Amino acid sequence: MTFRFKAILIVSIAIVSSTLFPAVSYYLFRDFDERYSVSMARSINEFMALSEFNTALVRYDNAILRYLSGNDRSLEGIKLIRREVDTATKRLELNLNILNTIYRDNPEMLSTLKTLESMHAGYIDDVESVVKIPEAGKKNPRVKALSTTERAEKMRKLTANYNNLVGIYNQVRILVERRQNELQFNISILDKKLDLLRNWGLAFVVLFVPLLLTLIFIIFSALSEMNKIVQALKEVKADKPKTLTTMIDKLEPLIKDRNPKDEVSNLARTLRFLGLEVREKTKELSDLVITDEKTKLFNYRHFKDEFQVESMYARRFGDKMSLVMLDVDKFKHYNDTNGHLAGDDCLIRVANIIKNCVRETDLAARFGGEEFAILLPRTTKEQAFIQAERIRTAIESTYFPFQEKQPTGNLTASLGVATFPDDGEELKILTECADVALYVAKERGRNCVISFEKGMEAPKSH
């Protein structure tokens, strides 16, 4: 028997002796339901729009960085990046329109949103004026590669413009915080409505003890569960994803222990679904910021941050830490011969091999193009050499589609090893040492592992 059926049954009996209490109860419950439905529906749309806005902004920024740092300047590569930039820009504009619709009756939020729109438009214009990605419709067979100086200058201008990007994120955060305050206000109103309903119930106990004892028991049972839901909602913080998990865990008993058709159970189920959706979007955004979209390995930004942490531990405890740089041999030949889709599939397969060969404590990342890096904490140069050789052997023994078209009839990789602090204590220096060893491996015929040694220099042909 559901809560609604019990309430209707008892209220029907109560109408005989009084029409006031059922009327007030119905009004308060209806007002509670309407306020909750409007508030939650609006909150869902707003949080989704803000999350999608941030996601599109990250995709736009990643596409711009890949355009400047990528080696592939072919028409297909430019078209792909141009489409990604255009798609991200449209998603940004779409979500701004959605937010404008949501905030149409809120002057304060509209003012903040106008500031966000202005900053967004200025940021996009500034980036486009610096990067100048060719239009995807032009039929130029190849785009001129940027020189090192040009790329550095563009990266310098984008870095100088990074504060604008931070400002956009801050404006989004302001919108989230204001909406959170509005949610807290709505929750306080709901609390007052619940208190008012509780007072009415207590008042009628004196007049209709036999009847109201049963009614109060049912109402307070429902209110107790609703209060649990309200308390769970109060603890949710927009900038603390773990609070969503806590809310979901608190709602589980309300779903499992009650009748599936019960209104409280349905309400808890709806909130749990919302929490799971928001948590998934938050995780997706976090993963997008630190992950290479193609290979699903970590990107250079995250790799650099983790290196600082690991080097701090290594320096403090006197541990060794090694860096392995890996480059797929003759990848340009493979890519040009078999097409970009086959080349992408090749990089994904190499990334999967690296994942399967490294330890849980190791950190694998894609540096760009066909170059990968593996950070090995608490690992000497000799141990790192063995680990690198295991990866090289795994790549050599794995079948890659079309590998017979390679000059050697097989797809292989060359690897260079450098160790902290023997070869360097900064990421740039350690990377240069590992690259030198990698170039020596290329010079010695490829498909081998070379450890950096003092005095070793990269081949002049490089």
Side-chain angles (χ1 to χ4, degrees):
M1 184 180 295
T2 66
F3 168 74
R4 180 175 296 178
F5 180 81
K6 294 177 181 177
I8 291 176
L9 178 62
I10 296 178
V11 170
S12 298
I13 299 174
I15 290 175
V16 177
S17 56
S18 174
T19 58
L20 180 60
F21 180 73
V24 172
S25 298
Y26 175 79
Y27 169 78
L28 292 175
F29 270 112
R30 186 177 182 83
D31 185 60
F32 174 90
D33 182 65
E34 288 178 353
R35 286 180 177 273
Y36 173 79
S37 299
V38 172
S39 177
M40 291 308 299
R42 182 173 178 179
S43 298
I44 291 172
N45 291 336
E46 180 178 352
F47 277 118
M48 289 301 178
L50 289 171
S51 178
E52 287 292 334
F53 181 87
N54 275 346
T55 300
L57 195 61
V58 171
R59 289 186 183 276
Y60 177 88
D61 185 55
N62 284 344
I64 294 297
L65 289 177
R66 284 200 296 113
Y67 173 74
L68 288 181
S69 60
N71 296 322
D72 181 13
R73 314 293 288 182
S74 65
L75 179 60
E76 290 300 321
I78 297 302
K79 283 184 175 180
L80 178 60
I81 293 177
R82 182 73 258 182
R83 283 197 298 268
E84 290 181 3
V85 169
D86 291 342
T87 300
T89 302
K90 291 178 180 178
R91 292 290 292 275
L92 287 168
E93 294 174 353
L94 173 62
N95 284 285
L96 283 174
N97 291 335
I98 293 175
L99 290 170
N100 268 312
T101 302
I102 294 174
Y103 299 144
R104 62 180 180 272
D105 298 325
N106 192 326
E108 183 180 6
M109 299 291 268
L110 276 177
S111 176
T112 303
L113 184 59
K114 287 185 181 298
T115 302
L116 176 62
E117 287 180 297
S118 177
M119 296 177 68
H120 156 259
Y123 173 74
I124 296 297
D125 290 342
D126 289 346
V127 172
E128 291 288 352
S129 66
V130 172
V131 179
K132 296 179 180 178
I133 303 177
E135 295 296 330
K138 294 185 178 180
K139 297 184 178 179
N140 48 325
R142 195 167 186 81
V143 177
K144 179 182 176 181
L146 293 173
S147 67
T148 303
T149 303
E150 291 173 332
R151 182 181 287 112
E153 178 62 16
K154 290 181 179 291
M155 289 298 290
R156 184 189 67 77
K157 291 181 178 180
L158 287 182
T159 301
N161 195 36
Y162 184 72
N163 288 334
N164 294 334
L165 183 62
V166 173
I168 293 175
Y169 278 116
N170 288 336
Q171 286 299 314
V172 173
R173 179 178 56 79
I174 290 173
L175 290 174
V176 172
E177 289 177 352
R178 288 185 176 177
R179 185 54 181 159
Q180 183 175 324
N181 292 335
E182 187 176 341
L183 277 174
Q184 294 291 342
F185 175 76
N186 288 337
I187 289 174
S188 66
I189 293 178
L190 294 180
D191 280 338
K192 292 179 180 178
K193 293 293 181 181
L194 292 175
D195 289 338
L196 180 60
L197 179 61
R198 186 181 292 111
N199 292 334
W200 271 94
L202 291 174
F204 273 85
V205 167
V206 179
L207 299 176
F208 309 103
V209 174
L211 180 62
L212 293 182
L213 281 177
T214 305
L215 182 59
I216 289 174
F217 173 79
I218 297 174
I219 291 177
F220 270 81
S221 175
L223 288 177
S224 175
E225 305 300 334
M226 289 181 182
N227 279 329
K228 292 179 182 178
I229 295 175
V230 172
Q231 292 301 321
L233 283 173
K234 283 183 177 180
E235 295 174 4
V236 176
K237 305 294 181 183
D239 57 341
K240 296 180 180 180
K242 289 185 178 180
T243 58
L244 280 173
T245 302
T246 302
M247 181 195 76
I248 294 170
D249 293 340
K250 289 183 177 181
L251 294 176
E252 286 293 340
L254 301 178
I255 298 173
K256 294 180 179 179
D257 300 340
R258 298 183 69 89
N259 189 323
K261 296 181 180 180
D262 185 84
E263 288 81 357
V264 173
S265 178
N266 287 332
L267 178 60
R269 190 179 296 107
T270 301
L271 285 174
R272 182 187 63 173
F273 177 76
L274 170 63
L276 292 172
E277 286 287 311
V278 174
R279 186 174 66 179
E280 182 179 346
K281 287 291 183 181
T282 303
K283 183 179 183 303
E284 179 183 342
L285 179 61
S286 299
D287 291 343
L288 185 62
V289 171
I290 67 173
T291 305
D292 175 65
E293 185 175 4
K294 184 177 296 180
T295 63
K296 306 308 178 185
L297 294 178
F298 292 117
N299 56 27
Y300 176 74
R301 287 181 179 177
H302 183 68
F303 185 88
K304 182 172 63 174
D305 293 340
E306 288 299 311
F307 177 87
Q308 298 301 328
V309 175
E310 292 296 341
S311 63
M312 180 179 64
Y313 280 111
R315 190 178 291 109
R316 179 179 181 183
F317 297 106
D319 289 335
K320 301 288 185 180
M321 180 176 65
S322 295
L323 173 67
V324 178
M325 297 298 295
L326 181 151
D327 189 84
V328 180
D329 295 331
K330 300 290 184 181
F331 179 76
K332 187 177 186 304
H333 178 274
Y334 186 95
N335 206 38
D336 294 342
T337 303
N338 306 305
H340 294 293
L341 292 180
D344 290 347
D345 180 68
C346 172
L347 293 178
I348 293 172
R349 290 172 182 264
V350 170
N352 289 335
I353 292 173
I354 294 174
K355 289 179 187 176
N356 293 331
C357 290
V358 299
R359 303 164 299 186
E360 290 186 1
T361 55
D362 299 335
L363 184 73
R366 183 187 180 199
F367 261 40
E370 68 274 20
E371 192 171 24
F372 300 86
I374 306 103
L375 188 64
L376 308 172
R378 296 176 293 283
T379 305
T380 64
K381 185 171 292 186
E382 292 75 15
Q383 294 169 333
F385 182 92
I386 296 173
Q387 182 79 337
E389 181 64 24
R390 184 182 299 117
I391 296 173
R392 184 201 65 78
T393 303
I395 294 175
E396 181 184 26
S397 59
T398 299
Y399 174 76
F400 290 82
F402 315 115
Q403 67 177 18
E404 59 275 2
K405 297 180 182 180
Q406 290 293 91
T408 59
N410 192 14
L411 192 135
T412 59
S414 299
L415 300 92
V417 179
T419 301
F420 171 99
D422 302 339
D423 302 323
E425 296 188 6
E426 301 295 331
L427 176 60
K428 180 180 179 181
I429 298 175
L430 205 62
T431 302
E432 290 175 353
C433 293
D435 276 336
V436 169
L438 174 60
Y439 299 146
V440 172
K442 295 281 188 181
E443 184 71 12
R444 294 183 184 179
R446 297 182 172 84
N447 192 24
C448 62
V449 180
I450 297 295
S451 295
F452 179 80
E453 299 176 359
K454 297 297 182 182
M456 181 179 287
E457 295 183 358
K460 294 182 179 180
S461 60
H462 174 75

